Amino acid sequence: MKVRKGSVVDFEINPKQRVIRRTVREFATSRIGPIAHELDQQARFPWELMDDMKAMNLFGLQASPEWGGAGMDTISYAITIEELARVCAGIALAVTVHNSVSLYPIEAYGTDKQKRRILPGMCSGDRVGAFCVTEPNAGSDASATETTAILDGDRYILNGNKIWVTNGAIAGVAVVLARTDPEDKKRGLSTLIVERGMRGFSVGPLEDLCGMRSNPVSSLIMTDCPVPKENLLGRPGDGVRIALQTLDVGRIGIASQALGIAQASLDVSLEYAQQRIQFRAPLTQFQSIQNMLADTATEIEATRLLVYQAGWLRDNERPFSSASAMAKLYASEAASRAGSRGVQIHGGYGYSKSYPIERYWRDARVTEIYEGTSEIQRMVIARSLQEKSKP
């Protein structure tokens, strides 16, 4: 989205972004589509697609070409995640979490040495990333973090248990929020780069989830895990600042994912309603069905505008925290409504695993929870309103 002379707002994506949409859609439809149902039912990650995903640079979408990334703008990134999620939300989740809340903070806050050593392997997809904040007693309240990182000479000794880690079972690199100053409850948190193979770093069993089942979500456990001091991301005490700024970026990706799920729900619901005959007429002839389709279509267009606006603000180096929260809040709730309406349109068939709408419905629900619940998004938005109202 850009502004032309005369303050005319252009809502068209550019030619390069159209090519990206077409390319990703073709890949998702032809390569992911035939196995999407199987991945969900078997709760497995699509290792057979990794070479193709690497070749498309899906693991370095916005990273600098210096590290092997594609250097995409944020709207192109959003389009990529949306198109993946239209076919398989679990794969889209793996891609967006890797790029936005694992690779991004390392590129944004890491030292040159950290970036040279870690980012090429992440951009190539050889090392998948994860972001670790949530614990058994800490989620929305990061200040309750119990994982500790105690400095011992030239290394930190980590102890803690991070749960619900997206990409956890396949992660080669994890950005971990830990307490480096036990005495300072507010500013005593830091972020560290923890790598697979470090002693005392282990992966818990896969979670048996309701949706997003093709993503290998697990716990990551650190038991007397020695992490070199040089793996500290930013400065000691920067943990909350880095985590919050990282989540601002990540929420654009989750909003894009929710947008893709909502679009998929509308696509299959419209197709079903056109083909299903009741009372000697297709369902699309009935006003109640028309209303559900119209409401979903309208909410999808509103979502897309919010997502692209947040991306435009970020690309133009303008404040985007509130915009990304709005996009994530609205997109996730719109996706849930789209899935629910889709199930209703399908009737009894919508409750059957033989139809994809029930998967979209299940997948949509968690977008209201991870990377900040809807309640947290409303807090972020409300605080922004209050800041703007100050004289």
Side-chain angles (χ1 to χ4, degrees), residues 169-185:
I170 61 172
V173 177
V175 175
V176 177
L177 185 68
R179 187 167 299 284
T180 49
D181 185 351
E183 303 302 321
D184 191 334
K185 296 298 182 184

Side-chain angles (χ1 to χ4, degrees), residues 51-69:
D51 287 345
D52 288 339
M53 293 170 70
K54 290 178 180 180
M56 294 182 67
N57 215 341
L58 291 181
F59 295 98
L61 291 172
Q62 290 199 275
S64 168
E66 180 180 1
W67 317 116

Side-chain angles (χ1 to χ4, degrees), residues 313-325:
L313 289 170
R314 184 191 174 207
D315 287 339
N316 285 273
E317 299 182 350
R318 300 189 184 185
F320 66 94
S321 178
S322 179
S324 67

Side-chain angles (χ1 to χ4, degrees), residues 256-272:
S256 305
Q257 181 200 29
L259 171 59
I261 298 170
Q263 185 66 63
S265 297
L266 177 61
D267 292 344
V268 297
S269 297
L270 176 59
E271 181 181 13
Y272 179 84

